[in-house]
Amino acid sequence: DVGEAEVVVYDILGRAVNTFVHSHNQAGWYEVVFNAENMSSGIYFYRLESDGVVIAKNKMLLLK
């Protein structure tokens, strides 16, 4: 099955700060390199969506 996957990272105010899109991939395991060099420490949220369906959403803590 071929689909589009998107990972969006949000700050505590709900603003999108990073978006990763992988278009037209076969089903399987994929990896995203997340570079937080320009981000400050704090709580962020992420959402993983594939073909319009939210697969996962959670919070993460970035410590520098």
Side-chain angles (χ1 to χ4, degrees):
D1 195 17
V2 177
E4 179 176 287
E6 177 181 67
V7 178
V8 182
V9 178
Y10 299 93
D11 66 10
I12 195 74
L13 298 176
R15 298 177 295 208
V17 294
N18 269 326
T19 301
F20 309 96
V21 177
H22 291 281
S23 298
H24 307 294
N25 289 326
Q26 295 295 324
W29 291 93
Y30 292 90
E31 188 174 298
V32 174
V33 177
F34 178 65
N35 183 353
E37 185 176 307
N38 296 325
M39 297 171 63
S40 58
S41 295
I43 296 174
Y44 293 87
F45 299 89
Y46 68 87
R47 185 188 79 228
L48 170 60
E49 185 175 317
S50 179
D51 292 329
V53 177
V54 176
I55 296 173
K57 56 184 176 180
N58 211 336
K59 65 181 173 180
M60 62 182 169
L61 177 62
L62 176 62
L63 296 175
K64 289 190 169 188

